[in-house]
Amino acid sequence: MKSATAIDAARVELLLAELRLPAIKLVWSDLAAQADKEGWPAARFLAALAEHEIAERGRRRIERHLAEARLPPGKTLDTFDFDVVPMVSKAQIIALAAGDSWLEKGANLIMFGPPGGGKSHLAASLGFALVENGWRVLFARTTDLVQRLQIARRELALESAIAKLDKYHLLILDDLAYVTKDQAETSVLFELIGARYERRSLLVTANQPFGEWGKIFPDQAMTLAVVDRLVHHATIFEMNVESYRRRTALERKRGPGRPPASATIKANV
Ligand code: ADP
Ligand code: MG
C-alpha cells in the first residue's frame, strides 16, 4: 500500500499540471523536503514556490522574445569593440539599452555610416540588450520588411500588418537606403514610419546621409515628411569609420589602423 505522503505527492503533481505551474512542478518536492527538514513556516515555503514560478516565467518570456526578435546571432555588446568607433559612447549605448528613457515615448535612433562600420552589429546588440531588459524588438532588413508589407497591401491588409508590429517596442530597420526607389515599395515604408511616429520607436541604419534619401523616396515631399518624423525625437550616430572588415584584414598585414576620419554625435531627443 502507498503511504499517505506518496499519495499526497501524486496529487500535488496532478494539481500542478492542471494549474499549469510547470516550474513549481519541477522543484516543489525538493523544496518541500528542505522546508520539512528545516522547519520552515508554511508561508515561507509557499513564497519560495511562487518566486520560483515567476522567475521561470520571466526567463521563458525573454527566451520567446529573443526568438521572435530575429536578431543576427553573435552580435552583442560584449563582442562590439567600442575603441574603433570613438564617436559612439559605450556609456550612452548602455544607458539606451535600459530602454525606458526613449522607448516609452517612441523616440528613434538613427545610425549613419559607410558599409562595414558596425551599424548592423551595434543595432543588433542594442536590440539584444533591450530584449534582455524586458522589451520586445524586431530586427528586419528593410527590404524584407517592405516586401512583407507590400504583400499585405495587395491583400488589403496593410493597416493590420502595421498594427501587428505595434507589439514591438523597437523595430530595427536595417539598411534603409538599400530600398529601391519604387513608388509602391517606399510608400509602405512611409506609412509604417507615419504610423509609429511618437508612439513606437524605430532604429534605422543607413549608409546614405539624409541628403541622399531623395533617391529612396519617390518625391521630395515624401522624403521630407519621412525625415521630419524620424528625426523629431531622435538620437543620431554618425559612424564614419573605415570598414571593420577591411580594417581587420589590413591590420593583419600592417599593424594598427588609421584613426577615424571624423567624430560627431548629434542628440535631439
Ligand atoms: P554595417 O552594418 O555598418 O555595414 P556591420 O555591423 O555589418 O557593418 O559590420 C561588418 C562586420 O564587422 C560584422 O561582422 C561586424 O560584427 C564587424 N564589426 C563591425 N564593427 C565592429 C566593432 N566595432 N566591433 C566588433 N565587430 C565589428
Ligand atoms: Mg549593415
Side-chain angles (χ1 to χ4, degrees), residues 65-72 123-124 127-128 130-131 135-142 144-145 148-149 161-162 164-174 192 196 201-204:
H65 292 173
L66 271 180
E68 79 181 4
R70 299 178 179 278
L71 294 159
F128 187 86
L130 285 167
V131 172
W135 301 93
R136 292 178 78 177
V137 172
L138 179 67
F139 183 102
R141 283 192 358 195
T142 311
D144 294 346
L145 187 70
R148 269 172 51 198
L149 292 178
I162 287 176
K164 272 193 198 134
L165 296 170
D166 268 4
K167 70 180 179 194
Y168 299 109
H169 301 101
L170 178 65
L171 180 55
I172 300 176
L173 296 178
D174 196 29
L192 173 68
R196 288 181 79 90
S201 297
L202 289 166
L203 191 170
V204 171

Side-chain angles (χ1 to χ4, degrees), residues 12 23 30 50 81 85 93 97 105 129-130 140 147 155 163 169 176 193 202 208 260 264:
V12 168
D30 285 348
D81 180 359
V85 278
I93 295 295
K105 48 183 177 182
L130 285 167
Q147 264 179 20
E155 293 165 354
H169 301 101
L176 183 86
I193 290 167
L202 289 166
Q208 311 264 0
T264 44

Side-chain angles (χ1 to χ4, degrees), residues 115-116 118-121 174-175 178 205 245:
K119 300 179 301 296
S120 299
H121 187 143
D174 196 29
D175 279 327
Y178 282 175
T205 79
R245 283 180 287 252

Side-chain angles (χ1 to χ4, degrees), residues 2 6 27 75 97 100 126 139 155 166 173 200 241 247:
K2 276 193 175 173
V27 299
K75 308 297 180 194
D100 3 0
L126 192 54
F139 183 102
E155 293 165 354
D166 268 4
L173 296 178
R200 283 280 187 245
V241 289
R247 177 192 164 106

Side-chain angles (χ1 to χ4, degrees), residues 95-134:
L96 288 169
D100 3 0
S101 63
W102 59 295
L103 295 181
E104 271 166 8
K105 48 183 177 182
N108 300 323
L109 290 186
I110 306 171
M111 296 177 182
F112 286 119
K119 300 179 301 296
S120 299
H121 187 143
L122 188 60
S125 52
L126 192 54
F128 187 86
L130 285 167
V131 172
E132 286 195 316
N133 288 329

